[in-house]
Amino acid sequence: MKAAVLKSFGSPLVIENAPEPVLGTGEVIVDVVATRVLSYMNEVFDGTRNYALDLPIIPGPGGIGRVRAIGPDATKLGVGDWVFCDPTVRSRDDAVAPDIALQGLTAAGPGGMRLQRHFRHGSFAEQMRLPTENVKPLGAITSEDATQWCALGTLLVPYGGFLAANLRPGETVLVSGATGNFGSAAVSVALAMGAACVVTPGRNETILADLVRRFGPRVKPVKLTGHEDDDREAMKRAAPSPIDCVLDIMPPSVSPTVVRAAVMTVRPYGRVALMGGVGMAGGAGLELPYPWIMRNCISIHGVWMYPPDAASRLIALVRAGLLRLEEYEATAFDLDHANEAVEHAVANGGPFKLTVIRP
């Protein structure tokens, strides 16, 4: 099969013939039809992000495809079914604290690296092998639809944060990082889950205005000034009621003071989900006042990715018409132009932009 292979950090992907995956028990092989390219994939490939990857590897986290072959433990899937390939692979021998690898992207700890050595290769290829539980039925779609459905991979991340924060219909939410790729996805997901209002702080007034244009008056934009106390009060004033839940999904480049300003808008007994990159590139971490957390009974939840059933639940939101994949503007490349796709993703990584490879 044809695949794009990363052989060394800092080198371009090599397009070549690779061995087809071999089916094992508890596994499914999928013909990849479309797969998204992360806007920071170049930083993974050149080593800047220091992701744990045992090279050479076929990269690509998740994708949309059709079932090619199933193992004996699959009782609902059938050959030819349209599916979402969930890249969050979990070890099966510890349900309480499983090791995790993001197939085709990175792994966490020694256990995650062991997972990666088996479920090694991702979706920048004509075929990929996944654990049975990571193959999520989509229902009937067309080959053309597959490009748009790649947005699931972006939307799933903030959805996992809101599930962890137990977001309830009718609540007021603040998304820290609302003008970014994942942050704008968080706005659409929160509204689809029934949030009464989403406060969207940011510096880019054009993007803030676009969020209001897309989603209407339930979005409350706030132009940030960089002054922590002033910004915190502005965010509180923008909310029509006390802020029940804050989701932070800021990138590593952002100052922790910006994140702290947003986090500390939450009401007493409120919930905070941390999914961003504060401190990952070095520098100060997020410092929050102990007395404020304790006396206000604030729940702070660190979240990496999402629970195993999240993809199926998110697909149901799309099927119900509550979450619109049509918000995304997609640009597609074939596998021979995978390196060009990576460059395009870097230059076009804003809100509701999608770069896709169609093997």
Side-chain angles (χ1 to χ4, degrees):
M1 66 171 184
K2 186 185 291 185
V5 183
L6 180 66
K7 298 195 172 185
S8 61
F9 290 114
S11 298
L13 297 170
V14 177
I15 315 303
E16 64 182 18
N17 287 321
E20 293 186 357
V22 177
L23 183 70
T25 300
E27 298 172 354
V28 173
I29 294 175
V30 172
D31 288 322
V32 181
V33 175
T35 177
R36 70 187 172 127
V37 182
L38 297 171
S39 60
Y40 56 85
M41 212 62 160
N42 64 315
E43 295 181 0
V44 176
F45 294 164
D46 67 17
T48 299
R49 292 224 170 193
N50 198 30
Y51 276 17
L53 283 171
D54 189 9
L55 303 182
I57 195 169
I58 299 170
I64 306 296
R66 304 192 78 170
V67 173
R68 182 182 184 91
I70 56 176
D73 62 332
T75 62
K76 300 291 196 298
L77 291 170
V79 172
D81 286 353
W82 282 99
V83 292
F84 169 68
C85 302
D86 184 351
T88 307
V89 178
R90 298 170 176 85
S91 59
R92 294 164 168 162
D93 50 355
D94 186 347
V96 176
D99 289 302
I100 292 179
L102 299 185
Q103 188 170 1
L105 187 62
T106 189
M113 290 301 293
R114 287 182 62 187
L115 278 177
Q116 188 187 90
R117 281 193 287 273
H118 182 69
F119 292 108
R120 177 183 193 77
H121 298 303
S123 53
F124 287 14
E126 292 178 322
Q127 299 174 29
M128 68 181 297
R129 178 184 62 184
L130 302 99
T132 303
E133 64 270 23
N134 285 58
V135 179
K136 312 294 186 179
L138 291 175
I141 67 170
T142 67
S143 177
E144 291 72 24
D145 294 337
T147 297
Q148 210 85 50
W149 276 92
C150 287
L152 281 181
T154 300
L155 294 160
L156 262 171
V157 176
Y159 185 53
F162 287 130
L163 290 177
N166 192 25
L167 176 60
R168 304 177 184 95
E171 289 193 321
T172 295
V173 176
L174 185 145
V175 175
S176 173
T179 57
N181 184 253
F182 284 104
S184 58
V187 175
S188 61
V189 168
L191 294 170
M193 294 174 71
C197 166
V198 182
V199 179
T200 57
R203 294 179 181 271
N204 190 317
E205 293 183 277
T206 301
I207 294 177
L208 292 174
D210 184 63
L211 290 171
V212 175
R213 180 191 65 80
R214 289 176 186 272
F215 301 114
R218 290 161 70 193
V219 174
K220 305 296 183 184
V222 178
K223 176 69 164 63
L224 295 178
T225 66
H227 300 290
E228 182 177 349
D229 293 339
D230 293 343
D231 286 342
R232 182 181 300 114
E233 293 307 310
M235 287 183 269
K236 287 182 178 180
R237 286 194 304 270
S241 60
I243 294 169
D244 302 289
C245 173
V246 172
L247 173 71
D248 176 73
I249 199 159
M250 285 286 200
S253 58
V254 172
S255 166
T257 60
V258 176
V259 176
R260 182 170 59 231
V263 167
M264 293 185 68
T265 63
V266 77
R267 64 165 171 83
Y269 298 90
R271 294 101 60 202
V272 176
L274 301 178
M275 300 195 81
V278 168
M280 287 186 180
L286 179 62
E287 296 182 3
L288 294 171
Y290 189 111
W292 173 78
I293 297 171
M294 182 269 292
R295 290 173 182 163
N296 290 289
C297 301
I298 305 298
S299 297
I300 299 176
H301 200 128
V303 190
W304 192 41
M305 303 306 286
Y306 41 81
D309 65 342
S312 298
R313 294 169 67 177
L314 192 71
I315 291 166
L317 287 178
V318 175
R319 287 299 188 185
L322 297 169
L323 190 60
R324 288 173 43 83
L325 301 181
E326 293 81 6
E327 296 291 344
Y328 281 85
E329 176 189 334
T331 303
F333 294 79
D334 61 28
L335 193 55
D336 286 327
H337 295 88
N339 287 298
E340 288 90 334
V342 172
E343 293 174 4
H344 182 272
V346 175
N348 298 271
F352 305 108
K353 298 287 183 65
L354 197 59
T355 301
V356 170
I357 291 174
R358 291 182 58 94

